[in-house]
Amino acid sequence: MSSGQGEDVVTGPSSDEPPEGGQVLNVPNVLSLLRLVLVPVFIWLLVTRELGWAGLVLVVAGLSDYADGKIARRYGLVTRLGQMLDPIADRLYIAATLIGLAAVDVIPWWLVLGLVARDALILTMYPTVRRLRLPIPPVDFIGKAATFNLLGGFPLLLLGSVDSPFQVLCLAAGWALVWWGTALYWAAGVVYAWQVRDMVRQRRGSAR
């Protein structure tokens, strides 16, 4: 689930890879590094049941994920390091968030399995993409919308687990975003699989 510099789970060669070199420690890459540093902080806050602060960390992570991609594309700061670092940070945050929220009973384990199963579906395409050296399908609007909903919903669910005047509102909005995000996440996965299937058919057709 990423809207930053990185792509989806399946990786492969791309025709528009950024050149080697450039300023490695630019703002987008520093933001990705910040998300990596915050992963153990988030886990520690969950373990100590500081759910409000853990929700705030998730908000910061979501904002940085959005900002690093926008800044990188706007100012031409996309680097190969960023394309590797951004999805690594995202995957660690997604794993930590899903397992952590389920462990503290904020979300059910079957929801975790449903989201993991979608990524497993994408991973099954990796050998074919790798073998045929297919380009990476672009992240479409559905995938970006899924990311937005999930990254917005999980912090609200955490904040809704804390006693406050806004608890009911946070829970209602959080679950609405998570349900929409889960549906869109699977829809994006199906679209991605369809794109890979079409590229495989075109590649095999041109090889005949």
Side-chain angles (χ1 to χ4, degrees):
M1 293 182 284
S2 174
S3 58
Q5 299 179 73
E7 300 293 346
D8 213 322
V9 177
V10 174
T11 59
S14 175
S15 59
D16 55 350
E17 289 184 346
E20 292 282 7
Q23 187 179 359
V24 175
L25 286 180
N26 55 33
V27 173
N29 291 349
V30 169
L31 289 175
S32 294
L33 284 171
L34 173 64
R35 288 206 304 285
L36 282 174
V37 171
L38 287 177
V39 170
V41 175
F42 172 72
I43 295 173
W44 181 79
L45 289 171
L46 284 180
V47 170
T48 56
R49 305 293 296 190
E50 296 287 347
L51 301 186
W53 286 107
L56 181 60
V57 169
L58 277 187
V59 171
V60 172
L63 291 175
S64 71
D65 181 51
Y66 173 79
D68 67 14
K70 294 290 285 187
I71 294 172
R73 290 188 295 271
R74 174 67 177 81
Y75 296 101
L77 298 175
V78 177
T79 64
R80 291 185 183 180
L81 174 63
Q83 288 186 325
M84 292 187 294
L85 195 61
D86 185 70
I88 289 173
D90 287 341
R91 294 299 173 260
L92 284 175
Y93 248 109
I94 291 169
T97 300
L98 291 178
I99 296 174
L101 294 190
V104 296
D105 297 323
V106 173
I107 62 174
W109 282 104
W110 56 261
L111 177 59
V112 176
L113 294 176
L115 292 172
V116 171
R118 184 270 192 186
D119 281 342
L121 170 67
I122 300 297
L123 281 173
T124 61
M125 299 175 232
Y126 178 78
T128 301
V129 171
R130 184 79 173 178
R131 186 179 68 255
L132 299 178
R133 298 184 62 82
L134 299 175
I136 301 171
V139 180
D140 59 11
F141 173 77
I142 299 176
K144 292 179 181 179
T147 299
F148 174 82
N149 279 273
L150 290 172
L151 290 181
F154 287 139
L156 285 173
L157 291 182
L158 264 177
L159 295 175
S161 301
V162 180
D163 289 332
S164 74
F166 307 102
Q167 184 177 23
V168 174
L169 180 61
C170 286
L171 286 174
W175 277 115
L177 288 173
V178 167
W179 284 126
W180 272 109
T182 301
L184 292 172
Y185 196 54
W186 267 98
V190 171
V191 170
Y192 192 94
W194 192 267
Q195 290 174 320
V196 171
R197 175 178 173 271
D198 281 347
M199 286 190 293
V200 170
R201 291 178 63 184
Q202 291 174 9
R203 181 66 58 87
R204 289 174 177 171
S206 61
R208 292 175 182 174

